Structures are given as C-alpha cells and as structure tokens.
Amino acid sequence: MPELPELPVTGHGGNLLAARKAYPQAPEPWLDLSTGINPYAYPFVNPPMESFTRLPQPEELCTLEAAARAVFRAPAGSEVVAVPGTQAIIDWLPHLVRARRVGILGFTYCEHARSWEEVGAEVTIAKNLAELESQNVAIVVNPNNPDGRLVAAPELHALAAALTAHGGLLIVDEAFVDFLEPGVSAVPDISARGMLVLRSFGKAYGLPGLRLGFAIAPKPVAAKLRAALGPWPVSGAAIAIGSKALLDRAWLEAAAARLKARGSMLDKVLAGAGFAPAGGSVLFKLVRHQDAQDWFERLAESGILARRFAARPDWLRFGIVGTDADMARLRNAFGFDN
Amino acid sequence: MPELPELPVTGHGGNLLAARKAYPQAPEPWLDLSTGINPYAYPFVNPPMESFTRLPQPEELCTLEAAARAVFRAPAGSEVVAVPGTQAIIDWLPHLVRARRVGILGFTYCEHARSWEEVGAEVTIAKNLAELESQNVAIVVNPNNPDGRLVAAPELHALAAALTAHGGLLIVDEAFVDFLEPGVSAVPDISARGMLVLRSFGKAYGLPGLRLGFAIAPKPVAAKLRAALGPWPVSGAAIAIGSKALLDRAWLEAAAARLKARGSMLDKVLAGAGFAPAGGSVLFKLVRHQDAQDWFERLAESGILARRFAARPDWLRFGIVGTDADMARLRNAFGFDN
C-alpha cells in the first residue's frame, strides 16, 4: 500500500480545527475519538482562589511531586519533576542532553523524532532494542502508541545499563501506562543513572487542558530540567487538582474498570465494521482495514474524528467512546442498525 | 555599606516557605508584599469544563494571541506568542538564540543573567544603553524592576537598530508596563528584526498562578519559540481567562486608578516610617533606609514579607497593600498609632 500523498488531519490527535476545515459539512458537535484521553475526567473541585492569585509555592510543588513519587513508586535516588505536560519535556530534552545519535523504537509517537531532528541529531527508527544499545540517546514509548506493544521492565533496565556503560541515556515514555499492572512501569527499579521516564497526567485523568506531567530522572538530569523550567513550572490549578487526583487510587481503579468495559464494546463495534484488531491500550484501540482511509472520510463526514497515520494508511486509532449516545452515533456512522 | 553575608529570604518574591522557615514565630497568615502582583485579581468566571477535559485547540490559542496583539498593539510583521509565563521564555531564549556576549542594563531582575550564564554566555551588567550596542544579545527591563527606571521607546528602537546591524538582538522585558501610558511600550513600533518584547499577564491581572505571558517577536525567533513550546504551550484555563481579561480595558483602567490611590497611601506610610522613595511602579514601591535590614526583620517577625536585595542592603521593595486591614497591619508593624 503506498504512502498517502496529502492527508488533511494527520499529525496530532485532538485537532478539531483541522477536521472542521477539511469537512465543513460535518454535523456539530464533533465526536473526537482521535486522542487517547480518558473521556471520564477526574471529578475535581474547582481549585481555591489562591491557586490563581498567588505564585505557586515551593511547598505546594513538593506536595504534588511527593504524591507522584508515591503513586509511581519512584525509588530514593531518583527525582520526580513536575512538568507542564510531557510534550514540554520532549521539546526540552534535546536542548539539555547532548546526543549526536538518537534511536527510537518504531513505529511510534512522532514528536520524539521531530524534537531531536530539530537540534540536528541523527535519528534512527530502530526495529528492536538491540539496535538502540549503541545510541547516545534511546527512546522507547511503553506501552507503545499506537499499537500498545509492551517491552518488559527488565529488558528496559538491561538496555539502560548497556547505554549507561558508554554514557548514553534511555528515555522511556510511559504516557499510557497508568491503567496497566504496576509491574509494567520501569519507574520502581529506575537506576540511579542512565534512565529517564516520562509520565503523563492529562490522558489517564481526562484533564489534558491542565498541562501536567512528570519526569522521573537521575539527579543530574533532573537538576537540568528544574533549571530549564524555572521556579514555577506548572500552574496553581495543576498543582491543586493533580495533588488530589493522583492519590485517589479508588477513582483510578474504577476508571480502569469502566474504560475496559467500554473498550470491549468498542472492540465489538469495530470488529462488526470489518476492522481487524492491531493493538491498543486501555485508552485507545488500533485497528486495520484495507479501506481505512475511506472509513476515516465517512466517519469525518458524520462528524466523528478518528486518528490516522500518514505512514500507515491501513491503520486507524479510536479513543474510548464515553457515552451510549456517542456509541450509537458511531454505530450509526458505520451503518449499523442501532 | 557592605554586602550582606547570608540573607535568608532573598531571591524571588513570593516565597513564603522560606519566610516561614526563617521566621517561625511570625503570626499567620503572612502578608506577602514581596511581589509586584496586583492584589486585586481579575474577577474571572471559572473556565468551562472543556478547558480542562480537552487539549487546548489551535483556534482558541489564536483567539488568545489575537486579543494580546490588539491590546499590545503589535504591528503586522510581528508575531505574538502565548507562553506559560515569561519566566519560561527567559529560560528558553538562551537555548534558542546563539549569543556569546550578553549585556543587561542593571541593576535589574536576576533571572535574565542567571539563564544566560547557565549556557555559558559572558554576561555584562551595563550602566547605560551605549554599552549594550556591541553585545550579541542586549536586555532591558522596562520599566525596570525594582526601581521603575524608564527608557524611552525611541531609544530602545535605536538600540535595536544598532544591534540588528551586526546581527544582535534586543530583548525588552515589559513585565510591569501594563498600567503605564501606551507610549511607553516598545511593541507598537517593534521592528521586523532585532527586537523581542516579553509581556506578563499574571502581574497586572493578579493571576500569576495561571502561568501566562506573551512574547512579541520577529517571525524567525517566534517560529523557534513555537517549535520549542510545542502545540499546547499554555493551559486551557489560561486561554479562557486570558482571552476575556485582556479585552476588558475598563477593568484595567479601574484597576490602575485603584492601585495608584493605594500606592499613594503606601508612599505616605513608608515616608512616615523614615524611608526615602527610590523608585517603583504602579505595582510596587522601592524605598531606601539605612536600617532597611532591621526593618525587614521587624516586619518579618510581624508576618509581613517585603522584598530585599542581597546587592543593595539599603533597599526594600513593597507590593501594593490591597485592603485597609492589611494597611493597618503594616502601620502597626511600623509602630504607628493606627
């Protein structure tokens, strides 16, 4: 199958502006299934007025980072750094870590490659972990976006050790790890050197507008990150809401159960429409279809935005559908008798 | 007067944690006069839920930047870039603009020097504009913090032209310009090249916890900033609140009048306590006293935090006191018969 020539609405998910431009006749409101964001947002209370009217206080930032440390089970010797979304760190790292050769386990989220190419690094998309060992910086998205591929934590630690031996660094992007078994995360056994883990907040908690994420890093890299982000790296609202939400494990467990049940319903609808499963996570489903691009168009004309990939025209990715009404809308767009 | 040996609670304003540690007996709550933040916050309505549950949309960011462009009167040919607080840009610029020699018009806000020294630039604190002309990057805080010194816009444009002639860049930090006459800002006549202006949002609008600011820049620098900050540079709440507040000129005018009236009251109290005026702005007053450090201590013991400067031990800076009760507290700490 050839690469697609000119595709409107590729790139990031969540870009409804591009979708509206490309499909101006589509009914409003759009149903955005192009992201991997939890449709059931954490039920936060509005932050106190001081979250807005004061500069965020150092001890409030400490409280947030301590909550993240406990929940991610970050070991002593590692630092947990609150960041204004992991995208901000993906953009900062190439300026803070010197690397001539960067290897990324493919096929994955495009922004890692873009940010390193921006500073002139030689970026290789690797097919396996072995190809990553000789790089200055290696990047593994785990679980992978969009196919959900998992690399076992011990393998990541072995790779980090190999990289550390020649002064390299392994970056593990755990943007979609929150609903998986605790053993999947590389954070609890993060070595003192050689590995940095990125954790998202907005996706699992359904609050991407807050702009909050975390980097778990060895002290020297963490120190560079803190200097780069300055004394007020995240908003007062992100601190207030994040500190509370992270410690609410009952909510996270209930959300996982609800998302998995909804995910099974989505699996059935996609299978019924002739899509073959190709991976995914608790927050999205990747499917394959020889007419995937036609389906993308038909869905878009119905005001439903899926995620497509310029390099993989037979793939579509769907976020979890949060309500019965939206599910009926999707089934309807697929031509099902609701 | 000698430099102070070891000063607790210098550096940034607003650090109540450090104040509480240094003065554990002080009565709570602290009255924080160490910042230049408007005590009368913009009366925002809570942002819509979508500001939190969706990724900020490109068109929403455009709306915010268009509001800023109109209010700052940024000319065609310049770009207005929303940023997560100007501090974030102060930290980014040394990584995006190559400069071996950096000149900063002193004495001023410490973070500019720190951020350039971090990347190994040779930083000179200049006494006048002429000393800045030969630098790769020149920085002028205008009005200056803490003394309120003003450089006329035509002088800044002449300096930018001189810098542009040899490929240099002038950075004008207008963090405290909002309540001054429109002619003070360098933005309306910003040249196509050679000048970048930083504008704060949180100080004038009393909402520093939002983390919002703007860079007005020539297109090439703006493009680098946008690439560095990624597609979601500020939070959904910052977009929602900022877009509305910026266009509310009636509020800004009323706030200016109220702050000036309160500032005059503060001037009188400080004069009554024996302080000599040494400059300031609508949002803070700089005063001089040979016993300034003793006064800092006495105020801190009363739970009132002023701003002091390690390099200028006879100076204190006071933010505007917002309420009669707080003013009575300050007068009381100064030993006045209220």
Side-chain angles (χ1 to χ4, degrees), chain A residues 12 14 16-17 41 44 46 51-55 57-59 91-92 95 118 206-209 211 227-228 230 232 235-236, chain B residues 12 14-17 41 44 46 51-55 57 59 91-92 95 118 206-209 211 227-228 230-232 235-236:
Chain A
H12 291 293
L16 291 175
L17 177 67
F44 63 91
N46 280 318
S51 296
F52 298 95
T53 59
R54 280 188 331 188
L55 281 165
Q57 297 291 301
E59 71 269 36
D91 290 318
W92 254 120
H95 294 268
E118 196 97 29
L207 299 171
R211 310 314 299 138
W232 310 292
S235 70
Chain B
H12 290 294
N15 190 345
L16 290 175
L17 177 67
F44 61 93
N46 280 318
S51 297
F52 298 96
T53 60
R54 280 187 333 188
L55 282 165
Q57 298 289 302
E59 72 269 36
D91 290 318
W92 255 120
H95 294 268
E118 196 98 29
L207 298 171
R211 309 314 299 138
W232 310 291
S235 70

Side-chain angles (χ1 to χ4, degrees), chain A residues 13 152 293:
Chain A
Q293 295 306 316

Side-chain angles (χ1 to χ4, degrees), chain B residues 57-79:
Chain B
Q57 298 289 302
E59 72 269 36
E60 294 164 348
L61 196 59
C62 282
T63 300
L64 172 66
E65 290 175 349
R69 172 179 290 283
V71 169
F72 303 156
R73 295 173 300 134
S78 67
E79 292 264 326

Side-chain angles (χ1 to χ4, degrees), chain B residues 181-198:
Chain B
E181 292 301 312
V184 172
S185 173
V187 172
D189 294 313
I190 195 169
S191 52
R193 299 168 48 207
M195 191 193 283
L196 178 147
V197 179
L198 298 175

